[in-house]
């Protein structure tokens, strides 16, 4: 049996397991070190009471004759699709444009099936590694060149362009992965910038995959939370989002995608119809318990709890940011986003990662793991218990 050649193209390990491995190695060599993780963006605070009651009720119902349910619709509970459309999109998306999933990462992987291996992919550089790694796995990008993957169109997002890319580099007929608030830079695109992105996608006959996983961390009222706040986006953009970072569902697993009915391939066929076909074929629906939790998260009480939790992590972010700035380190993010992107000019980011681990016993994420333009940067995650974040900040000075 032949190995899928695309797998041979990918660099050995996915970023976060690689960091976990280095942490384990350090812990084994320094058994007394109390290591604090500001590395992977993994939630730490308990699920809040109203949302947790929704999950518990979902589980309880499974034990009753009246409440039991087995396989559900692959696209998700109608009530949840309706509630996402009304509570979160307020008319900008219809319930049959909402597809419930087991998380945004899984959707990003499955979405690649819509376009196949022939398509070009453009990504913000740096960006969440799944866009690029997923493109390599499906064969729409080639091998590692030493400075990025062959065939990926990297759109540098650096201090000089205020972390918003030069859109003129984007070729025709490609998927544009765009994440705002951005992981890892923490930059949030404003309305004019997203309008320019939509205009470019329409002109270049390209499709945007807009990752809004951190939209609930936006506090500035003028900043868009969804790409559909921009006119024309329904003709050129898919959006993915998730309850992971907002309701603390990183382990529960619940997300959604929006695939507008107005979105068409060059041939005129409907992308929504194909997405429905893919989801019904290779996905068997999100957990019914998770969906019961999702319904509770969209109640007004659940929305208040999400605000509370996201405020908590944003306060962590403010502490980290303040600490780094006091050390004379230039940072972005951390105000409308749970990530702080700290600049270590001219330094190799894996080296800085090791130095912080060795000196402070704090795990971070090296910027180079997010793309070539990430070298010289370190990402600090604000997901953590307050006491740990305070302790980490004390060690960083
Ligand atoms: N999209 C973005 C932009 C993310 O940063 C993450 C998680 C996800 C999607 C995943 O969402 P789910 O709904 O939970 O699937 N990023 C984290 C965790 C690492 C990972 O591999 O997902 C991070 O530290 O970047």
């Amino acid at each position: 049996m032949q190995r899928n050649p695309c797998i041979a193209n990918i660099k050995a390990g996915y970023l976060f397991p690689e960091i976990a491995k280095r942490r384990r190695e350090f812990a084994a060599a320094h058994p007394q070190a109390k290591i604090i993780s500001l590395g992977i963006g993994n939630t730490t605070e308990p699920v809040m009471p109203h949302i947790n009651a929704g999950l518990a009720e979902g589980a309880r119902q499974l034990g009753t004759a009246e409440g039991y349910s087995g396989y559900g619709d692959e696209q998700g509970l109608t009530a949840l699709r309706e509630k996402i459309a009304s509570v979160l999109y307020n008319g900008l998306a219809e319930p049959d444009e909402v597809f419930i999933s087991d998380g945004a990462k899984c959707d990003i992987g499955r979405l690649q099936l819509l376009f196949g291996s022939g398509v070009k992919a453009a990504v913000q550089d740096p960006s969440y590694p799944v866009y690029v790694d997923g493109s390599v796995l499906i064969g729409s990008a080639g091998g590692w060149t030493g400075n990025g993957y062959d065939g990926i169109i990297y759109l540098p997002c650096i201090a000089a362009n205020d972390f918003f890319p030069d859109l003129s580099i984007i070729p025709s007929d490609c998927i544009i992965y765009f994440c705002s608030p951005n992981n890892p830079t923490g930059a949030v695109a404003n309305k004019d910038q997203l309008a320019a992105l939509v205009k470019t996608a329409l002109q270049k006959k390209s499709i945007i995959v807009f990752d809004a996983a951190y939209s609930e961390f936006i506090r500035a009222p003028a900043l868009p939370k969804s790409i559909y706040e921009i006119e024309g986006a329904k003709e050129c953009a898919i959006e993915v989002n998730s309850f992971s970072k907002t309701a603390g569902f990183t382990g529960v697993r619940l997300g959604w995608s929006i695939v507008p009915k107005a979105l068409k391939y060059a041939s005129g066929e409907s992308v929504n119809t194909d997405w429905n076909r893919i989801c019904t074929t290779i996905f068997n629906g999100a957990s019914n318990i998770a969906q019961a939790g999702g319904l509770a998260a969209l109640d007004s009480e659940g929305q208040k709890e999400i605000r509370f939790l996201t405020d908590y992590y944003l306060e962590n972010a403010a502490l980290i940011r303040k600490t780094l700035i006091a050390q004379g380190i230039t940072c972005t993010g951390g105000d409308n986003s749970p990530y702080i992107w700290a600049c270590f000019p001219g330094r190799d980011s894996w080296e800085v990662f090791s130095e912080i681990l060795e000196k402070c016993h704090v795990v971070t994420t090296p910027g180079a793991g997010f793309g070539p333009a990430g070298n010289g940067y370190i990402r600090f995650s604000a997901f953590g218990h307050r006491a740990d974040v305070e302790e980490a900040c004390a060690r960083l000075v």
Side-chain angles (χ1 to χ4, degrees):
M1 188 60 208
Q2 292 281 310
R3 183 187 192 199
N4 175 351
C6 301
I7 298 181
N9 279 336
I10 201 140
K11 276 199 295 175
Y14 179 60
L15 176 63
F16 294 102
E18 175 62 31
I19 289 167
K21 187 177 131 234
R22 294 192 187 212
R23 176 193 172 138
R24 276 195 309 276
E25 285 165 1
F26 182 80
H30 305 85
Q32 69 288 27
K34 185 184 172 286
I35 300 172
I36 296 173
S37 176
L38 303 181
I40 186 167
N42 199 0
T43 47
T44 50
E45 301 314 298
V47 174
M48 302 277 294
H50 181 80
I51 300 175
N52 201 49
L55 289 169
E57 177 59 15
R60 194 196 61 80
Q61 290 215 1
L62 288 179
T64 67
E66 322 72 55
Y68 178 77
S69 59
Y71 291 127
D73 290 339
E74 292 88 348
Q75 307 88 339
L77 290 174
T78 304
L80 184 56
R81 301 175 83 190
E82 286 170 354
K83 213 163 172 179
I84 288 177
S86 64
V87 175
L88 300 179
Y89 290 92
N90 193 21
L92 293 175
E94 309 274 323
D96 57 358
E97 296 175 321
V98 181
F99 294 80
I100 310 301
S101 74
D102 51 349
K105 186 183 195 176
C106 325
D107 269 337
I108 294 160
R110 282 189 290 266
L111 275 166
Q112 312 230 357
L113 289 177
L114 284 170
F115 311 102
S117 59
V119 74
K120 293 176 284 224
V123 297
Q124 287 158 295
D125 177 21
S127 67
Y128 180 46
V130 178
Y131 317 135
V132 168
D133 289 11
S135 302
V136 175
L137 285 176
I138 200 155
S140 64
W144 181 250
T145 65
N147 192 32
Y149 281 98
D150 194 22
I152 294 282
I153 298 119
Y154 289 94
L155 310 173
C157 296
I158 51 178
N161 58 21
D162 211 10
F163 300 96
F164 185 81
D166 172 3
L167 300 174
S168 69
I169 320 169
I170 298 174
S172 296
D173 297 312
C174 72
I175 315 183
I176 309 164
Y177 291 97
F178 201 94
C179 178
S180 178
N182 186 264
N183 173 13
T185 67
V188 189
N190 64 32
K191 261 206 163 120
D192 290 345
Q193 290 172 325
L194 286 190
L197 177 70
V198 165
K199 192 171 161 209
T200 304
L202 290 169
Q203 273 169 356
K204 307 251 170 114
K205 303 193 186 318
S206 295
I207 288 183
I208 301 164
V209 173
F210 189 77
D211 189 337
Y214 301 100
S215 58
E216 292 299 328
F217 290 86
I218 293 178
R219 291 293 176 269
L223 293 173
K225 288 187 167 183
S226 164
I227 190 76
Y228 303 118
E229 291 177 40
I230 309 300
E231 215 186 305
K234 289 200 100 172
E235 283 84 55
C236 67
I238 291 169
E239 182 162 301
V240 294
N241 208 325
S242 164
F243 289 97
S244 282
K245 311 298 167 90
T246 54
F249 276 17
T250 39
V252 173
R253 309 303 306 146
L254 191 68
W256 69 92
S257 58
I258 308 285
V259 181
K261 285 175 282 185
L263 185 64
K264 301 278 157 59
Y265 298 104
S267 57
E269 277 137 335
S270 159
V271 180
N272 176 286
T273 305
D274 281 4
W275 186 230
N276 195 57
R277 180 72 168 89
I278 290 171
C279 290
T280 51
T281 308
I282 60 160
F283 180 57
N284 238 344
S287 146
N288 42 17
I289 299 173
Q291 293 190 77
L295 282 167
L298 295 166
D299 288 340
S300 61
E301 195 52 36
Q303 291 288 289
K304 277 189 213 144
E305 293 181 343
I306 283 177
R307 181 76 183 197
F308 179 89
L309 265 187
T310 48
D311 273 346
Y312 179 91
Y313 292 125
L314 284 169
E315 283 158 25
N316 283 349
L319 284 175
I320 299 167
R321 196 185 148 99
K322 200 173 114 204
T323 305
L324 294 171
I325 289 174
Q327 300 302 301
I329 297 167
T330 309
C331 304
T332 54
D335 37 10
N336 294 287
S337 130
Y339 296 122
I340 298 97
W341 189 235
C343 187
F344 293 82
R347 298 283 312 276
D348 175 86
S349 59
W350 279 102
E351 245 176 65
V352 181
F353 163 86
S354 299
E355 195 175 302
I356 297 174
L357 181 58
E358 276 154 30
K359 288 197 181 146
C360 311
H361 302 173
V362 172
V363 178
T364 57
T365 308
F370 299 97
N375 204 15
Y377 286 88
I378 288 287
R379 189 192 79 172
F380 289 84
S381 158
F383 294 103
H385 300 307
R386 178 65 44 80
D388 288 341
V389 169
E390 283 169 350
E391 168 73 21
C393 287
R395 290 185 200 168
L396 286 166
V397 299

